[in-house]
């Protein structure tokens, strides 16, 4: 029986944790998820630095959702415009964040919020 790939998420990471600032992060973990389960993971080195180029790179990798730490407004806007949903300003261990996201589809637990972050800047991808 074939499983339908429901989504690919990308997680900016550094030393087993969520990378604190996506704008300067150099690694993405790409994870294919179907039926609430991880199917495959792949580590990818990011090559682009400018916000529009970086957003295109993430989009071309097939990511529908990006989980990351802090992200600048220009980069977040570029990602959203490219069709990538940004779940930013999160922190924690890579596996803990992944497990929480897969299990609940969100990271509502305050222990995953970056210290000092109190706002809601996370945006949804523009449909299209």
């Amino acid at each position: 029986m074939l499983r339908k790939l429901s989504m690919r998420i990308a997680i900016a990471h550094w030393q087993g944790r969520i990378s604190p600032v996506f704008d300067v992060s150099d690694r993405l973990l790409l994870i294919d998820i179907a039926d609430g389960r991880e199917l495959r993971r792949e580590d990818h080195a990011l090559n682009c630095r400018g916000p529009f180029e970086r957003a295109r790179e993430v989009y071309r990798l097939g990511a529908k959702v990006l989980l990351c730490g802090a992200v600048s407004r220009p980069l977040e806007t570029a990602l959203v415009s490219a069709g990538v949903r940004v779940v930013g300003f999160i922190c924690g261990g890579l596996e803990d964040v992944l497990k929480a996201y897969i299990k609940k589809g969100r990271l509502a637990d305050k222990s995953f919020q970056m210290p000092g972050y109190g706002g809601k800047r996370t945006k949804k991808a523009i449909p299209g």
Side-chain angles (χ1 to χ4, degrees), residues 25-59:
S25 179
D26 62 355
R27 309 289 318 162
L28 275 182
L29 183 62
L30 300 168
I31 301 166
D32 296 332
I33 299 170
D35 303 322
R37 294 194 172 143
E38 179 181 331
L39 298 179
R40 183 178 88 119
R41 65 172 60 192
E42 165 190 337
D43 193 49
H44 178 78
L46 289 167
N47 299 309
C48 299
R49 291 289 172 212
F52 299 108
E53 295 80 13
R54 180 161 281 212
R56 263 194 304 278
E57 184 176 11
V58 173
Y59 174 78

Side-chain angles (χ1 to χ4, degrees), residues 48-120:
C48 299
R49 291 289 172 212
F52 299 108
E53 295 80 13
R54 180 161 281 212
R56 263 194 304 278
E57 184 176 11
V58 173
Y59 174 78
R60 286 184 182 145
L61 291 169
K64 300 296 182 202
V65 176
L66 170 68
L67 306 180
C68 62
V71 58
S72 68
R73 230 179 252 281
L75 180 51
E76 182 180 24
T77 300
L79 286 158
V80 170
S81 294
V84 179
R85 180 172 174 250
V86 177
V87 181
F89 300 92
I90 59 172
C91 63
L94 179 64
E95 296 303 324
D96 294 336
V97 168
L98 176 60
K99 191 181 298 182
Y101 188 79
I102 290 174
K103 185 176 179 182
K104 298 180 181 177
R106 56 188 165 80
L107 295 163
D109 187 329
K110 290 188 188 255
S111 68
F112 294 118
Q113 282 185 355
M114 289 189 84
Y117 179 71
K120 284 202 171 228

